[in-house]
Amino acid sequence: MSNNPTQKTFYSINGNTQKLDGGAMFGNAPKALWQRWVNVDELNRIDLVCRAMLVIDGDKTILFETGIGAFFEPKYRDRYGVQESQHVLLDSLKEAGFSHEDIDILVLSHLHFDHAGGLLTQWEEGKASELLFPNAEFIVGQEAWERACNPHPRDRASFIPGLTDKLEASGRLHLVSNDSSDLLGADYSFYVSSGHTPGMLITKVETIQGPVAFAADLIPGAPWMHLPITMGYDRYPESLIDEKRALLESLKEQGGKVFFTHDPEVALGEVAVNEKGKFFADQPLKKVVRLSM
């Protein structure tokens, strides 16, 4: 942890959107509870985004994740509720004044397709997908990498065949097994969470206004800040709750914020606790554009 963090500029970069089953996203919470927080369609699906975080830190342009992207062929795009055929992340980067070629460092919390699919080119009939971000160094946790290379039957469908081969062949893959990376520097530290998937990296970015945690699937959106709320996709929900509590208590003590990957309404929120002791996202922002911290 840096004692004198540098000022950084933050952006939220939206990728492709999804509609997924609300029951799966809220685990063992009853629909009577979770439908208070989100809209649900006739197929019991809720709206989700796949949001990346872009940080300008001096001469470094750092992207956290890439969303689901547009690599799926149509039948799988429909199966997983992906709403757009074009690669939305690339459009959003352009809107913010950037290109995928501008990214110097790309941090991947884990390699599930809704967080890493945006690494690949848009699907085209008869054409193999290719790796984007030609100038980026890729950071992945060692344990998350091993899981992607040797998935369990429970989550094998969550990984993209051949993606690890492409990342390794790039010559720009960096596997980390501790709480920091020399590429990123002292203002960036990793909190490892395994409740959702083994070795998921939660990156905490130190700013002059307190830390910002890129929460990935530990806390996919503001409703999941409530400690008992987990996803049906989580491998060890009880462990995830303990990990979530530790992170949120630390952020609260430090005046920190959480960046959400999947919440369509909240990109960034301050960690706060209400009169009942429940964590919530205070001062929520739906979009982050050139936010200096």
Side-chain angles (χ1 to χ4, degrees):
M1 176 177 171
S2 173
N3 292 323
N4 297 291
T6 61
Q7 183 167 305
K8 302 167 183 67
T9 303
F10 287 75
Y11 296 77
S12 59
I13 307 293
N14 280 8
N16 291 66
T17 60
Q18 283 184 279
K19 290 181 180 289
L20 287 180
D21 184 82
M25 286 301 299
F26 286 102
N28 65 346
K31 185 177 181 181
L33 177 63
W34 59 256
Q35 69 180 356
R36 302 177 194 170
W37 306 326
V38 294
N39 295 320
V40 59
D41 70 10
E42 68 280 359
L43 297 177
N44 205 49
R45 302 179 305 177
I46 65 171
D47 293 327
L48 298 168
V49 298
C50 292
R51 183 185 292 109
M53 183 172 78
L54 184 72
V55 178
I56 308 300
D57 186 354
D59 61 356
K60 293 183 293 191
T61 301
I62 307 165
L63 187 67
F64 292 84
E65 298 191 349
T66 63
I68 198 167
F71 75 96
F72 276 133
E73 61 180 286
K75 70 174 181 179
Y76 290 113
R77 190 168 69 234
D78 182 65
R79 178 181 299 179
Y80 293 109
V82 182
Q83 298 299 293
E84 308 90 358
S85 58
Q86 78 274 19
H87 201 319
V88 175
L89 183 83
L90 300 185
D91 297 336
S92 297
L93 280 170
K94 184 177 181 180
E95 181 183 334
F98 302 94
S99 160
H100 71 102
E101 297 173 343
D102 296 327
I103 305 304
D104 299 307
I105 302 172
L106 209 162
V107 184
L108 296 157
S109 68
H110 62 302
L111 292 173
H112 286 173
F113 61 68
D114 57 326
H115 296 258
L119 290 168
L120 300 172
T121 51
Q122 184 173 315
W123 180 84
E124 292 184 52
E125 181 75 51
K127 188 174 181 180
S129 60
E130 297 178 6
L131 196 64
L132 295 167
F133 304 94
N135 301 310
E137 304 292 325
F138 303 106
I139 294 177
V140 184
Q142 178 74 47
E143 192 177 5
W145 176 261
E146 291 171 359
R147 180 68 163 208
C149 293
N150 298 284
H152 189 275
R154 185 176 186 270
D155 65 354
R156 183 173 291 121
S158 296
F159 296 100
I160 303 169
L163 179 59
T164 52
D165 294 336
K166 288 180 170 65
L167 287 169
E168 195 163 30
S170 75
R172 293 175 277 120
L173 175 66
H174 303 262
L175 301 180
V176 297
S177 55
N178 52 33
D179 64 357
S180 63
S181 165
D182 290 341
L183 276 177
L184 290 170
D187 283 355
Y188 301 80
S189 59
F190 301 126
Y191 175 82
V192 178
S193 165
S194 294
H196 177 68
T197 189
M200 185 170 67
L201 295 183
I202 308 302
T203 307
K204 187 186 289 187
V205 184
E206 301 297 335
T207 81
I208 60 176
Q209 295 178 20
V212 174
F214 184 84
D217 276 341
L218 177 61
I219 314 173
W224 290 266
M225 286 186 73
H226 187 32
L227 292 179
I229 303 301
T230 61
M231 296 187 289
Y233 303 111
D234 298 329
R235 64 195 288 255
Y236 296 127
E238 291 185 4
S239 296
L240 184 139
I241 289 169
D242 294 338
E243 293 165 349
K244 182 164 52 171
R245 185 200 308 273
L247 177 65
L248 290 175
E249 287 179 347
S250 172
L251 289 170
K252 176 67 171 62
E253 184 177 336
Q254 299 171 61
K257 300 177 176 65
V258 177
F259 188 97
F260 302 109
T261 60
H262 289 310
D263 194 316
E265 300 300 325
V266 184
L268 185 72
E270 297 179 8
V271 178
V273 178
N274 68 13
E275 65 281 359
K276 296 181 179 179
K278 176 183 174 181
F279 287 104
F280 71 98
D282 200 12
Q283 304 295 316
L285 297 177
K286 185 171 184 175
K287 190 172 183 179
V288 178
V289 181
R290 291 189 296 276
L291 178 62
S292 294
M293 286 191 288

